Amino acid sequence: MLNYGRSALFCLFFVFTIETRAGSSDFGLFNLSTTPSVKVIPETDGNFIHLKQLDESSLQVYIDSMNKFLEPYIKPTEVAMENLYHCDFNSPPREHKVCVFDVQHLFHCTPENDFGFRKNSPCLLFTLSQVSNWTPTVLSGSDIQNSTNSFSTKPAQVDASIRESSIQEYVWFTCEGETAADKEALGPVIYYPRNGFPTYYFPFNNVEGYQSPIVGVYFERPTRGVNITIICKAWANNIPLDEESGSGYKKIHLLVD
């Protein structure tokens, strides 16, 4: 009986230790399961995207995956159509309605352009995972992410976007090469419709037909034959950036042959 008691006490101590450590990160007391993660399309094993220009079938697998993801946006069901509402910053969704996301605003990153995969200028699509009743707390010009490490230091592009956005509020989004060599090999990065998710799409409340906002990231001239590591991050005060858990960011490997 004494041994059973000791085992129980050890288990309680172990659980307490794990929970204490989980809540003691530099990012404050966040429950990572209640904050959105970054999703990339196409989804692949290990987020490794290998574009083989002489292998049509492999390119088509990626293109088909992206077309399948966009299908509910392009051809919503009848019930979803009844719930869709054309929103903007002055006109948020009405009760029991959800905002339309127009795929044509993705410009180069559309099915008509095969997402740039056949032109050595690939697009990747990014969304935030759907977390019920989560509303972003946006960054302001004076905000600093709740950490002093370089991983969560805001890029200059985010600061510039905040200054330019006026009253328009976004969860800002950036993709950069992980190292100086990756940045050089990655080349120009262009965002469609822009480098952020408009806040009027949130919160997600399980209304049928909900369309997650999308950021299309267009890599105009990645260096061919180089495995490029890309780090993409979502920026809001209540999205903790956690390199170990992957919260608020996504690491991708891109190789264009």
Side-chain angles (χ1 to χ4, degrees):
M1 182 66 69
L2 182 60
N3 288 337
Y4 285 119
R6 287 175 177 173
S7 297
L9 286 172
F10 175 79
C11 290
L12 286 171
F13 174 78
F14 180 78
V15 169
F16 175 79
T17 302
I18 293 297
E19 290 183 344
T20 301
R21 288 181 179 177
S24 63
S25 73
D26 290 335
F27 299 92
L29 296 175
F30 287 99
N31 182 346
L32 299 184
S33 65
T34 60
T35 57
S37 59
V38 175
K39 299 176 63 177
V40 59
I41 300 92
E43 294 182 273
T44 63
D45 291 338
N47 295 318
F48 180 64
I49 298 167
H50 188 183
L51 304 184
K52 305 174 186 177
Q53 295 304 316
L54 299 180
D55 186 348
E56 173 61 28
S57 62
S58 70
L59 291 178
Q60 193 61 49
V61 168
Y62 290 126
I63 292 170
D64 288 347
S65 173
M66 298 177 85
N67 282 329
K68 182 178 180 180
F69 170 76
L70 290 177
E71 189 172 343
Y73 293 80
I74 298 171
K75 297 179 180 179
T77 65
E78 289 186 13
V79 175
M81 283 288 290
E82 293 177 359
N83 294 335
L84 292 175
Y85 181 76
H86 289 275
C87 309
D88 57 37
F89 286 101
N90 295 316
S91 184
R94 297 173 181 171
E95 190 175 4
H96 305 305
K97 298 291 183 180
V98 292
C99 297
V100 173
F101 182 89
D102 189 345
V103 170
Q104 292 306 310
H105 291 163
L106 294 172
F107 197 48
H108 284 296
C109 303
T110 58
E112 293 81 2
N113 295 312
D114 290 327
F115 309 100
F117 282 15
R118 291 192 171 93
K119 298 179 180 178
N120 299 323
S121 299
C123 284
L124 301 179
L125 305 180
F126 293 86
T127 66
L128 299 178
S129 61
Q130 297 173 0
V131 177
S132 294
N133 299 315
W134 180 85
T135 301
T137 304
V138 300
L139 295 170
S140 68
S142 59
D143 280 325
I144 299 174
Q145 195 76 7
N146 295 328
S147 173
T148 57
N149 64 44
S150 60
F151 180 76
S152 63
T153 300
K154 286 184 298 176
Q157 181 182 23
V158 172
D159 288 328
S161 297
I162 292 170
R163 288 193 298 270
E164 294 167 1
S165 64
S166 184
I167 63 171
Q168 298 181 353
E169 296 186 330
Y170 292 84
V171 175
W172 298 109
F173 191 73
T174 57
C175 287
E176 299 180 308
E178 183 176 40
T179 66
D182 289 318
K183 289 179 173 66
E184 183 177 356
L186 188 57
V189 179
I190 304 172
Y191 303 87
Y192 298 109
R194 72 162 306 162
N195 62 318
F197 304 99
T199 54
Y200 51 76
Y201 283 92
F202 305 99
F204 166 68
N205 288 322
N206 288 310
V207 176
E208 184 168 351
Y210 177 78
Q211 297 185 350
S212 295
I214 301 169
V215 173
V217 183
Y218 177 57
F219 303 105
E220 190 174 17
R221 293 190 303 275
T223 301
R224 297 182 66 170
V226 176
N227 187 356
I228 307 169
T229 301
I230 306 166
I231 303 294
C232 298
K233 302 176 185 176
W235 298 91
N237 273 322
N238 57 344
I239 299 181
L241 291 177
D242 190 323
E243 191 167 8
E244 289 188 10
S245 71
S247 172
Y249 97 118
K250 183 71 70 177
K251 178 182 283 190
I252 304 144
H253 306 280
L254 176 65
L255 175 59
V256 180
D257 281 344

